[in-house]
């Protein structure tokens, strides 16, 4: 997960990635997905996101991407928090992969 945010930023970019690897090499799967959840933290915080994604609440948005027959699913965009002074951003990535009847999941979060 990579973020281009500094604490208490006006706008920031974010990028999350789900990858499947085997023995240090790319491993192609039937389906791979990545859901980025971006949250603005602060009193009465709001959040606008580009791409807009799905509204979870006033201060939280989700953007998802699914690929088939590959090893990677990336999600990126611009977060624009508002409604509060000193607003920070939390970005979480939930990834999943499916291949030959086997499912795998992983999650990670970062704060800025």
């Amino acid at each position: 997960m990579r973020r281009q945010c500094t604490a208490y930023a006006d706008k920031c970019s974010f990028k999350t990635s789900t990858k499947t690897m085997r023995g240090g090499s790319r491993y192609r799967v039937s389906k791979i997905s990545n859901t980025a959840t971006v949250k603005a933290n602060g009193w009465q915080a709001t959040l606008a996101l580009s791409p807009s994604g799905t509204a979870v609440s006033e201060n939280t948005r989700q953007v998802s991407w699914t690929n088939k027959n590959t090893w990677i699913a990336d999600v990126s965009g611009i977060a624009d928090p508002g409604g509060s002074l000193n607003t920070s951003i939390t970005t979480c990535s939930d990834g999943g992969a499916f291949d030959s009847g086997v499912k795998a999941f992983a999650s990670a979060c970062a704060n800025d």
Side-chain angles (χ1 to χ4, degrees), residues 2-3 5 11 20 30-31 47 49 51 57 60 66 79 82 101:
R2 184 183 67 161
R3 301 156 336 276
C5 302
K11 289 185 184 180
T20 50
S30 300
K31 184 168 81 169
L47 180 66
L49 207 63
S57 66
T60 305
T66 299

Side-chain angles (χ1 to χ4, degrees), residues 22-36:
R22 179 183 271 176
S25 298
R26 299 171 180 177
Y27 181 72
R28 185 179 299 262
V29 293
S30 300
K31 184 168 81 169
I32 187 166
S33 63
N34 180 9
T35 299

Side-chain angles (χ1 to χ4, degrees), residues 6-85:
T6 56
Y8 313 113
D10 179 33
K11 289 185 184 180
C12 61
S13 63
F14 66 92
K15 179 178 181 182
T16 65
S17 185
T18 300
K19 299 175 183 173
T20 50
M21 309 286 283
R22 179 183 271 176
S25 298
R26 299 171 180 177
Y27 181 72
R28 185 179 299 262
V29 293
S30 300
K31 184 168 81 169
I32 187 166
S33 63
N34 180 9
T35 299
T37 303
V38 183
K39 180 179 180 182
N41 305 300
W43 184 70
Q44 293 185 334
T46 61
L47 180 66
L49 207 63
S50 176
S52 62
T54 302
V56 175
S57 66
E58 256 323 281
N59 67 328
T60 305
R61 301 285 185 269
Q62 288 184 327
V63 180
S64 297
W65 183 254
T66 299
N67 275 341
K68 294 184 179 181
N69 298 316
T70 191
W71 68 284
I72 190 168
D74 288 343
V75 172
S76 62
I78 304 292
D80 185 5
S84 177
L85 295 176

Side-chain angles (χ1 to χ4, degrees), residues 1 3 14 16 36-39 89-93 108-111:
M1 184 177 339
R3 301 156 336 276
F14 66 92
T16 65
T37 303
V38 183
K39 180 179 180 182
I89 299 292
T90 300
T91 305
C92 295
S93 178
C109 293
N111 293 308

